Amino acid sequence: MTRALNILQETFGYPAFREPQAAVIDAVINGDDALLLMSTGGGKSLCYQIPAMIRPGCGIVISPLIALMQDQVAALRQLGIRASFLNSTLTAEEVYTIESSLRHGELDLLYIAPERLNQNRTLDLLQTVSISLFAIDEAHCVSQWGHDFRADYLALNQLHQIFPSVPRIALTATADARTRSEIIDNLGLNNAHQFVVGFDRPNIQYRISLKTNPRNQLLEFLKTEHPSDAGIVYCLSRKKTEDTAEWLSKQGFKALAYHAGLTPEIRAEHQRRFLTEESVIIVATIAFGMGIDKPDVRFVAHLDLPKTIEAYYQETGRAGRDGLAANAWMVYGLQDVTKLRQMLGQSQGTEQYKRVEQIKLNAMLGFCEISTCRRHALLAYFDEASREQCGNCDTCLVPVETWDGSDAAQKALSVIYRTDQRFGVGHLVDVLLGQETDKIIQFNHHQLPLFGIGTELTAKEWQSVFRQLVAGGHAIADADRFGGLVLTEKCRPLLRGEQSIQFRKDPVQKTAKKLTKTPLPEDIDIALWEALRAHRRDLAEEQGVPPYVIFHDSTLQAMTELMPTTLEAFADLPGVGIRKLDKYGQGFISVIKQH
Ligand code: ADP
Ligand code: ZN
């Protein structure tokens, strides 16, 4: 383990291990199998990279993300680690060169796509060389229960038989209990040490508000908090991603669309620009993201509601992998729920599947409507205990006011019932407010005893009541009836006035201003920061790698704080190992000195 700590400090430039890196590394160095469940950005990679450097032979990393192998390998080479990858993008000649260095024991790490690994040719090759370990990245792909299942992953089971003495380490950021047990079963990891690290992402600030004018809301958020940051904006439809990207470009942002309907070339190009340029915003459907390893994504914005809390967690989790402050921002409305329900109704799934998805969607809406800490609720959803107040979500920062809505709930539910559970919120509100619209007259609803009994609240407030009743599972927006609200069993005690209910007041203030917490420290020397970034950009362009491969933002930030002017002081910065000190120390020091 002394060796491991040395590598951490000298090669990677970090002072100490995080939990539970040391224990994982120890197990793998000793030749044991391991399963590591750790949130994105937690630091999983080191857990196989360091053992691969210490154990004799080459470490084989199985990763489904061909597009990312190149960057991962580039980042390792920057550190002086002998890494390569084998995938379908290489020429025969390149493959030959890599295989030959593998045979000659000149590689510490080799990244391989699963479909390639499973070829007999590759397996034969691997049996003739010395292998230090197998790292199975994104191990949840082996689970049929999860959403990223890949048949190629199932075949990885054979590694165990073919290479019984080579330790295997499986890694994932997404695994509920069921997925975890499938990973263990399908990969034969019954004797593996299990390391489970919580789901919390403390550097991500969660904020959710009502959709009023989504484009303006997004624009204000971007302008005040992320004027030149890289980020992802998620939308439900392909068309909307294109429209939004175009509109953002007109507003002066570098915005690119990404969805499954674009040609593979355009998609690859947009992903490449997102990874290699700075300040690029990707406007995407959920087709974008799996394994996006870009560490400096500063925000993830949702213009539409994700289908499930799991999806929300995954998508927002792409922000802030480098550990610096990042925002998860969302606007939502009841119309999102109706739309998602319609899509679900038309989908091919079984009734059972649809029922589960409905429940999950409702949980997602409920999550939006809570008046308590978002993080606490999110972690509780994954069965993880946490503090009641995190201090870094909208409800902690600007506490939500609540009011006794028992009376209003009773009226709202009664209106649904008395109009035969067929009408949407707009019409129901008209009944409560006593509006004599054509539709009201047409259905004779002005004759109802309830007509006009709700004038104590505004139309907006009634909309909020209905939304919260849906979020609480007291009513459902029925897709088959064009979003008409239908009562559920759960509403009975409220309807009868036997139960009280608290509603959250929709915040009226503009939350963005109040919450502004830019990723950069307030007292940062902006001029120096920009000068360092420009220097990093030049270096990156010279070598054709993404800027973060040179240094992460956190290292640049430390430069602005400590302003090292000697190589000795420079070596103390986090993320500066021997190789990078050698290669880049002088250059950055000159920028600092000039400044
Ligand atoms: P994961 O694969 O779990 O999403 P990574 O392995 O990419 O996370 O690590 C996330 C970030 O944390 C990287 O920038 C990595 O260099 C950094 N990191 C990992 N371990 C440490 C450590 N012990 N000290 C400081 N930074 C670390
Ligand atoms: Zn909180």
Side-chain angles (χ1 to χ4, degrees):
M1 280 312 286
T2 325
R3 189 77 206 282
L5 188 61
N6 269 339
I7 294 178
L8 178 76
Q9 294 171 341
E10 291 181 0
T11 305
F12 290 89
Y14 298 128
F17 284 116
R18 292 179 183 160
E19 274 299 313
Q21 286 171 333
V24 184
I25 290 171
D26 195 34
V28 179
I29 291 178
N30 285 326
D32 292 342
D33 293 338
L35 170 62
L36 174 57
L37 250 102
M38 192 183 207
S39 67
T40 307
K44 288 186 285 298
S45 328
L46 286 185
C47 296
Y48 59 82
Q49 287 162 350
I50 292 183
M53 292 165 70
I54 292 177
R55 286 176 59 89
C58 176
I60 305 294
V61 186
I62 298 122
S63 161
L65 310 162
I66 292 186
L68 296 173
M69 284 182 184
Q70 197 165 356
D71 288 343
Q72 285 168 337
V73 165
L76 288 168
R77 289 196 181 152
Q78 288 285 329
L79 302 172
I81 297 170
R82 302 175 304 171
S84 274
F85 61 87
L86 274 183
N87 65 31
S88 47
T89 67
L90 300 173
T91 63
E93 205 169 310
E94 286 169 324
V95 170
Y96 177 80
T97 313
I98 292 163
E99 290 184 354
S100 130
S101 42
L102 176 66
R103 285 207 186 84
H104 289 96
E106 293 160 6
L107 285 178
D108 297 313
L109 282 161
L110 180 62
Y111 286 71
I112 306 186
E115 60 275 13
R116 184 161 198 120
L117 181 92
N118 290 325
Q119 291 167 5
N120 284 335
R121 189 179 171 299
T122 315
L123 290 170
D124 290 346
L125 168 71
L126 294 183
Q127 285 174 84
T128 64
V129 300
S130 161
I131 296 174
S132 56
L133 56 85
F134 287 106
I136 302 167
D137 208 4
E138 313 286 351
H140 58 275
C141 292
V142 78
S143 158
Q144 268 141 322
W145 163 255
H147 45 315
D148 292 325
F149 172 68
R150 295 185 180 221
D152 285 320
Y153 261 67
L154 278 182
L156 296 177
N157 199 1
Q158 59 184 329
L159 293 178
H160 187 37
Q161 280 91 45
I162 308 178
F163 306 93
S165 61
V166 178
R168 294 166 304 146
I169 169 171
L171 313 104
T172 175
T174 42
D176 49 73
R178 178 154 170 192
T179 310
R180 195 190 320 171
S181 76
E182 277 197 29
I183 294 176
I184 293 171
D185 288 348
N186 293 348
L187 292 176
L189 284 171
N190 309 71
N191 294 322
H193 296 255
Q194 289 189 34
F195 302 90
V196 182
V197 191
F199 282 92
D200 191 17
R201 301 287 311 280
N203 59 316
I204 297 183
Q205 183 176 94
Y206 296 102
R207 284 154 51 183
I208 301 176
S209 49
L210 261 189
K211 207 184 265 191
T212 50
N213 184 335
R215 281 192 171 176
N216 283 348
Q217 287 171 294
L218 177 66
L219 188 62
E220 165 149 1
F221 167 65
L222 294 180
K223 276 191 169 159
T224 49
E225 303 184 50
H226 300 285
S228 62
D229 288 329
I232 307 173
V233 177
Y234 280 112
C235 305
L236 198 54
S237 74
R238 296 175 179 183
K239 171 133 180 31
K240 188 165 168 185
T241 64
E242 291 184 9
D243 294 348
T244 308
E246 194 186 322
W247 175 77
L248 279 175
S249 304
K250 285 199 187 117
Q251 308 297 320
F253 292 92
K254 254 201 268 179
L256 304 170
Y258 191 103
H259 59 73
L262 296 171
T263 63
E265 293 76 37
I266 295 185
R267 267 185 289 159
E269 169 65 5
H270 288 183
Q271 173 161 333
R272 188 194 62 75
R273 289 190 56 191
F274 181 62
L275 293 175
T276 54
E277 293 177 22
E278 288 181 272
S279 321
V280 174
I281 297 174
I282 285 276
V283 187
T285 60
I286 50 170
F288 182 74
M290 180 175 150
I292 286 304
D293 241 334
K294 188 174 163 63
D296 55 352
V297 176
R298 292 272 66 86
F299 67 89
V300 169
H302 280 95
L303 284 179
D304 293 304
L305 194 69
K307 284 193 203 108
T308 63
I309 292 184
E310 286 90 341
Y312 172 79
Y313 177 79
Q314 275 246 315
E315 286 153 23
T316 56
R318 292 174 184 134
R321 292 180 63 124
D322 53 11
L324 298 182
N327 276 316
W329 180 95
M330 173 159 82
V331 288
Y332 76 101
L334 197 54
Q335 66 273 29
D336 295 359
V337 178
T338 312
K339 217 182 290 169
L340 287 170
R341 265 190 213 289
Q342 266 160 7
M343 286 169 56
L344 186 61
Q346 291 154 8
S347 79
Q348 302 295 319
T350 61
E351 283 312 307
Q352 156 81 12
Y353 166 82
K354 289 183 187 177
R355 212 160 34 242
V356 172
E357 290 297 296
Q358 297 245 355
I359 294 169
K360 289 186 168 182
L361 177 54
N362 247 56
M364 183 66 228
L365 181 63
F367 176 70
C368 296
E369 294 286 345
I370 52 168
S371 47
T372 51
C373 174
R374 304 258 189 225
R375 189 180 314 273
H376 182 71
L378 196 56
L379 294 173
Y381 186 82
F382 295 115
D383 294 324
E384 189 174 325
S386 64
R387 282 179 301 155
E388 297 277 327
Q389 300 245 314
C390 75
N392 193 25
C393 72
D394 53 356
T395 49
C396 280
L397 293 164
V398 184
V400 186
E401 283 181 70
T402 55
W403 56 290
D404 184 341
S406 315
D407 190 45
Q410 205 177 356
K411 287 181 181 171
L413 295 168
S414 305
V415 168
I416 300 176
Y417 183 65
R418 295 284 168 206
T419 54
D420 300 328
Q421 314 189 51
R422 304 165 47 194
F423 293 91
V425 173
H427 185 76
L428 297 170
V429 172
D430 285 342
V431 177
L432 283 162
L433 293 179
Q435 311 280 1
E436 298 203 5
T437 65
D438 292 349
K439 200 167 170 185
I440 296 266
I441 310 284
Q442 183 195 341
F443 289 98
N444 249 339
H445 287 160
H446 55 305
Q447 309 285 6
L448 290 173
L450 287 161
F451 187 68
I453 58 157
T455 48
E456 71 278 17
L457 298 181
T458 64
K460 266 220 162 75
E461 287 166 329
W462 278 119
Q463 281 160 10
S464 167
V465 167
F466 282 110
R467 221 180 41 245
Q468 296 190 57
L469 287 171
V470 173
H474 302 289
I476 297 176
D478 189 344
D480 295 338
R481 308 195 196 191
F482 305 102
L485 293 196
V486 177
L487 300 177
T488 66
E489 259 320 286
K490 195 178 168 192
C491 83
R492 275 171 200 271
L494 277 180
L495 190 57
R496 293 203 205 103
E498 294 162 6
Q499 196 182 54
S500 64
I501 188 168
Q502 292 285 315
F503 287 135
R504 72 181 259 154
K505 270 192 192 161
D506 290 340
V508 281
Q509 79 274 32
K510 281 197 213 139
T511 46
K513 283 262 153 44
K514 215 165 177 174
L515 291 172
T516 298
K517 185 178 160 196
T518 44
L520 290 176
E522 260 160 39
D523 53 354
I524 193 166
D525 184 333
I526 286 285
L528 176 57
W529 167 253
E530 290 301 342
L532 293 168
R533 289 222 305 177
H535 183 56
R536 178 177 65 175
R537 198 155 46 228
D538 291 344
L539 292 170
E541 268 167 25
E542 253 165 51
Q543 302 180 45
V545 296
Y548 59 79
V549 167
I550 307 289
F551 280 129
H552 278 186
D553 282 356
S554 49
T555 304
L556 255 48
Q557 239 181 64
M559 287 183 208
T560 67
E561 279 156 28
L562 304 171
M563 297 208 220
T565 51
T566 62
L567 282 176
E568 222 177 4
F570 198 86
D572 283 342
L573 297 170
V576 179
I578 288 177
R579 178 57 83 94
K580 287 190 175 175
L581 177 69
D582 238 32
K583 234 171 139 177
Y584 305 127
Q586 277 313 343
F588 281 94
I589 287 174
S590 330
V591 175
I592 293 169
K593 277 187 176 159
Q594 239 167 42
H595 181 76

